[in-house]
PDB file of all heavy atoms in Angstrom:
ATOM      1  N   VAL A 275     -33.652 182.593 -41.541  1.00 94.00           N
ATOM      2  CA  VAL A 275     -33.605 181.203 -41.066  1.00 94.00           C
ATOM      3  C   VAL A 275     -34.668 180.334 -41.732  1.00 94.00           C
ATOM      4  O   VAL A 275     -34.480 179.122 -41.853  1.00 94.00           O
ATOM      5  CB  VAL A 275     -33.709 181.078 -39.520  1.00 94.00           C
ATOM      6  CG1 VAL A 275     -32.547 181.769 -38.847  1.00 94.00           C
ATOM      7  CG2 VAL A 275     -35.027 181.556 -38.990  1.00 94.00           C
ATOM      8  N   HIS A 278     -33.430 178.196 -44.971  1.00 96.00           N
ATOM      9  CA  HIS A 278     -32.381 177.176 -44.902  1.00 96.00           C
ATOM     10  C   HIS A 278     -32.953 175.860 -44.386  1.00 96.00           C
ATOM     11  O   HIS A 278     -33.316 175.756 -43.217  1.00 96.00           O
ATOM     12  CB  HIS A 278     -31.236 177.664 -44.007  1.00 96.00           C
ATOM     13  CG  HIS A 278     -30.564 178.876 -44.550  1.00 96.00           C
ATOM     14  ND1 HIS A 278     -29.669 178.824 -45.591  1.00 96.00           N
ATOM     15  CD2 HIS A 278     -30.689 180.183 -44.231  1.00 96.00           C
ATOM     16  CE1 HIS A 278     -29.261 180.038 -45.876  1.00 96.00           C
ATOM     17  NE2 HIS A 278     -29.867 180.887 -45.074  1.00 96.00           N
ATOM     18  N   PRO A 279     -33.009 174.835 -45.245  1.00 96.00           N
ATOM     19  CA  PRO A 279     -33.616 173.563 -44.842  1.00 96.00           C
ATOM     20  C   PRO A 279     -32.861 172.837 -43.737  1.00 96.00           C
ATOM     21  O   PRO A 279     -33.439 171.990 -43.057  1.00 96.00           O
ATOM     22  CB  PRO A 279     -33.632 172.742 -46.132  1.00 96.00           C
ATOM     23  CG  PRO A 279     -32.598 173.363 -46.999  1.00 96.00           C
ATOM     24  CD  PRO A 279     -32.540 174.814 -46.625  1.00 96.00           C
ATOM     25  N   GLU A 280     -31.583 173.168 -43.518  1.00 97.00           N
ATOM     26  CA  GLU A 280     -30.818 172.542 -42.441  1.00 97.00           C
ATOM     27  C   GLU A 280     -31.350 172.964 -41.068  1.00 97.00           C
ATOM     28  O   GLU A 280     -31.173 172.257 -40.090  1.00 97.00           O
ATOM     29  CB  GLU A 280     -29.329 172.940 -42.520  1.00 97.00           C
ATOM     30  CG  GLU A 280     -28.646 172.548 -43.794  1.00 97.00           C
ATOM     31  CD  GLU A 280     -28.723 173.636 -44.874  1.00 97.00           C
ATOM     32  OE1 GLU A 280     -29.536 174.580 -44.759  1.00 97.00           O
ATOM     33  OE2 GLU A 280     -27.964 173.524 -45.841  1.00 97.00           O
ATOM     34  N   ILE A 281     -31.971 174.138 -41.024  1.00 98.00           N
ATOM     35  CA  ILE A 281     -32.561 174.631 -39.775  1.00 98.00           C
ATOM     36  C   ILE A 281     -33.978 174.077 -39.705  1.00 98.00           C
ATOM     37  O   ILE A 281     -34.880 174.564 -40.372  1.00 98.00           O
ATOM     38  CB  ILE A 281     -32.565 176.170 -39.713  1.00 98.00           C
ATOM     39  CG1 ILE A 281     -31.141 176.706 -39.845  1.00 98.00           C
ATOM     40  CG2 ILE A 281     -33.213 176.647 -38.417  1.00 98.00           C
ATOM     41  CD1 ILE A 281     -31.049 178.219 -39.987  1.00 98.00           C
ATOM     42  N   LEU A 282     -34.155 173.031 -38.899  1.00 98.00           N
ATOM     43  CA  LEU A 282     -35.460 172.390 -38.807  1.00 98.00           C
ATOM     44  C   LEU A 282     -36.421 173.163 -37.929  1.00 98.00           C
ATOM     45  O   LEU A 282     -37.626 173.163 -38.174  1.00 98.00           O
ATOM     46  CB  LEU A 282     -35.319 170.959 -38.269  1.00 98.00           C
ATOM     47  CG  LEU A 282     -35.024 169.914 -39.315  1.00 98.00           C
ATOM     48  CD1 LEU A 282     -33.570 169.937 -39.705  1.00 98.00           C
ATOM     49  CD2 LEU A 282     -35.426 168.566 -38.818  1.00 98.00           C
ATOM     50  N   GLU A 283     -35.899 173.769 -36.862  1.00 98.00           N
ATOM     51  CA  GLU A 283     -36.751 174.487 -35.922  1.00 98.00           C
ATOM     52  C   GLU A 283     -36.029 175.749 -35.466  1.00 98.00           C
ATOM     53  O   GLU A 283     -34.811 175.774 -35.360  1.00 98.00           O
ATOM     54  CB  GLU A 283     -37.067 173.608 -34.712  1.00 98.00           C
ATOM     55  CG  GLU A 283     -37.805 172.332 -35.075  1.00 98.00           C
ATOM     56  CD  GLU A 283     -37.964 171.381 -33.893  1.00 98.00           C
ATOM     57  OE1 GLU A 283     -38.066 171.860 -32.747  1.00 98.00           O
ATOM     58  OE2 GLU A 283     -37.973 170.169 -34.129  1.00 98.00           O
ATOM     59  N   CYS A 284     -36.813 176.777 -35.193  1.00 98.00           N
ATOM     60  CA  CYS A 284     -36.274 178.032 -34.681  1.00 98.00           C
ATOM     61  C   CYS A 284     -37.261 178.576 -33.662  1.00 98.00           C
ATOM     62  O   CYS A 284     -38.450 178.703 -33.947  1.00 98.00           O
ATOM     63  CB  CYS A 284     -36.081 179.037 -35.809  1.00 98.00           C
ATOM     64  SG  CYS A 284     -35.552 180.673 -35.241  1.00 98.00           S
ATOM     65  N   LEU A 295     -31.924 177.322 -32.343  1.00 98.00           N
ATOM     66  CA  LEU A 295     -32.093 176.665 -33.634  1.00 98.00           C
ATOM     67  C   LEU A 295     -31.777 175.183 -33.494  1.00 98.00           C
ATOM     68  O   LEU A 295     -30.826 174.813 -32.802  1.00 98.00           O
ATOM     69  CB  LEU A 295     -31.123 177.243 -34.680  1.00 98.00           C
ATOM     70  CG  LEU A 295     -31.105 178.749 -34.899  1.00 98.00           C
ATOM     71  CD1 LEU A 295     -30.062 179.106 -35.960  1.00 98.00           C
ATOM     72  CD2 LEU A 295     -32.463 179.255 -35.295  1.00 98.00           C
ATOM     73  N   LYS A 296     -32.557 174.358 -34.154  1.00 98.00           N
ATOM     74  CA  LYS A 296     -32.234 172.939 -34.279  1.00 98.00           C
ATOM     75  C   LYS A 296     -31.751 172.741 -35.708  1.00 98.00           C
ATOM     76  O   LYS A 296     -32.498 172.952 -36.663  1.00 98.00           O
ATOM     77  CB  LYS A 296     -33.444 172.053 -34.001  1.00 98.00           C
ATOM     78  CG  LYS A 296     -33.125 170.570 -34.127  1.00 98.00           C
ATOM     79  CD  LYS A 296     -34.341 169.715 -33.832  1.00 98.00           C
ATOM     80  CE  LYS A 296     -34.016 168.232 -33.968  1.00 98.00           C
ATOM     81  NZ  LYS A 296     -35.212 167.409 -33.727  1.00 98.00           N
ATOM     82  N   VAL A 297     -30.491 172.350 -35.831  1.00 98.00           N
ATOM     83  CA  VAL A 297     -29.854 172.204 -37.137  1.00 98.00           C
ATOM     84  C   VAL A 297     -29.476 170.741 -37.343  1.00 98.00           C
ATOM     85  O   VAL A 297     -28.881 170.127 -36.464  1.00 98.00           O
ATOM     86  CB  VAL A 297     -28.584 173.092 -37.232  1.00 98.00           C
ATOM     87  CG1 VAL A 297     -27.928 172.960 -38.595  1.00 98.00           C
ATOM     88  CG2 VAL A 297     -28.927 174.554 -36.925  1.00 98.00           C
ATOM     89  N   MET A 298     -29.821 170.189 -38.488  1.00 98.00           N
ATOM     90  CA  MET A 298     -29.483 168.800 -38.823  1.00 98.00           C
ATOM     91  C   MET A 298     -28.637 168.804 -40.090  1.00 98.00           C
ATOM     92  O   MET A 298     -29.056 169.331 -41.123  1.00 98.00           O
ATOM     93  CB  MET A 298     -30.750 167.974 -39.052  1.00 98.00           C
ATOM     94  CG  MET A 298     -31.686 167.885 -37.871  1.00 98.00           C
ATOM     95  SD  MET A 298     -31.199 166.730 -36.593  1.00 98.00           S
ATOM     96  CE  MET A 298     -31.300 165.168 -37.431  1.00 98.00           C
ATOM     97  N   PHE A 308     -21.537 175.137 -42.644  1.00 97.00           N
ATOM     98  CA  PHE A 308     -22.842 175.793 -42.505  1.00 97.00           C
ATOM     99  C   PHE A 308     -22.732 177.022 -41.596  1.00 97.00           C
ATOM    100  O   PHE A 308     -23.307 178.074 -41.882  1.00 97.00           O
ATOM    101  CB  PHE A 308     -23.865 174.789 -41.963  1.00 97.00           C
ATOM    102  CG  PHE A 308     -25.232 175.360 -41.765  1.00 97.00           C
ATOM    103  CD1 PHE A 308     -26.048 175.635 -42.856  1.00 97.00           C
ATOM    104  CD2 PHE A 308     -25.718 175.617 -40.494  1.00 97.00           C
ATOM    105  CE1 PHE A 308     -27.324 176.161 -42.674  1.00 97.00           C
ATOM    106  CE2 PHE A 308     -26.981 176.144 -40.309  1.00 97.00           C
ATOM    107  CZ  PHE A 308     -27.790 176.415 -41.402  1.00 97.00           C
ATOM    108  N   LEU A 313     -24.766 180.759 -41.134  1.00 94.00           N
ATOM    109  CA  LEU A 313     -25.176 181.408 -39.880  1.00 94.00           C
ATOM    110  C   LEU A 313     -24.382 182.671 -39.577  1.00 94.00           C
ATOM    111  O   LEU A 313     -24.959 183.693 -39.202  1.00 94.00           O
ATOM    112  CB  LEU A 313     -25.075 180.427 -38.710  1.00 94.00           C
ATOM    113  CG  LEU A 313     -26.088 179.286 -38.689  1.00 94.00           C
ATOM    114  CD1 LEU A 313     -25.911 178.433 -37.440  1.00 94.00           C
ATOM    115  CD2 LEU A 313     -27.511 179.786 -38.790  1.00 94.00           C
TER     116      LEU A 313
END
Side-chain angles (χ1 to χ4, degrees):
V275 298
H278 297 283
E280 300 91 345
I281 302 172
L282 274 79
E283 299 173 31
C284 175
L295 307 179
K296 180 179 180 182
V297 181
M298 300 282 295
F308 179 74
L313 290 183

